Amino acid sequence: MENDYGCTSLKDTQQGRSTPGGITKVEVDPDGRGCHVAWTSPEQSPTVVTKLSRANGILYAYTKPANAQGVDAWYLTGIDWRTGRTRFRIPTGTGDAVNNNWSPIALGPDGSAYVSAYGGILRVHDTNDRPRTPLPADTP
């Protein structure tokens, strides 16, 4: 489940703003009589339907961290489904044109992720030469 509370319009993700954030994995208890939180990620995913790849165990989210300088940068972010740790962030662009406005992520058979955004459809494909946002060692 992603927490997109507070995102009611395009304005909520402009000028460096974002939602409070958080993505949580809830698991059904083995006895089927309840559930529990397996992990929570602090990633801010204000406007996406996340997608899990069973092939690689990555939960794909479209994230936009808050930015005090007013930069509206968006990322395709991979979260380890088992642990909840952020594995990568791939920059997709800045501004309203790359806001996906609650569209789902689609995963292609070649490993590409497709994100529908205001400016068109973004294709992100995993390669060794792609730009990456460095993650601190203690990133959950």
Side-chain angles (χ1 to χ4, degrees), residues 6 27 33 35 43 46 80 98-99 107 111 125:
E27 293 181 337
R33 296 177 182 239
C35 57
E43 293 292 346
D80 186 295
V98 293
N99 182 330
L107 301 176
H125 185 74

Side-chain angles (χ1 to χ4, degrees), residues 26-98:
V26 178
E27 293 181 337
V28 176
D29 293 334
D31 64 8
R33 296 177 182 239
C35 57
H36 65 277
V37 172
W39 52 255
T40 299
S41 166
E43 293 292 346
Q44 293 171 281
S45 184
T47 65
V48 77
V49 177
T50 56
K51 184 72 63 156
L52 173 64
S53 170
R54 292 181 63 198
N56 64 13
I58 298 292
L59 178 69
Y60 291 87
Y62 199 55
T63 60
K64 184 192 179 292
N67 183 290
Q69 288 77 38
V71 177
D72 294 323
W74 293 84
Y75 302 86
L76 181 71
T77 300
I79 299 168
D80 186 295
W81 179 247
R82 191 176 47 81
T83 66
R85 294 182 74 79
T86 299
R87 300 265 304 271
F88 61 83
R89 281 189 203 101
I90 302 169
T92 59
T94 59
D96 293 340
V98 293

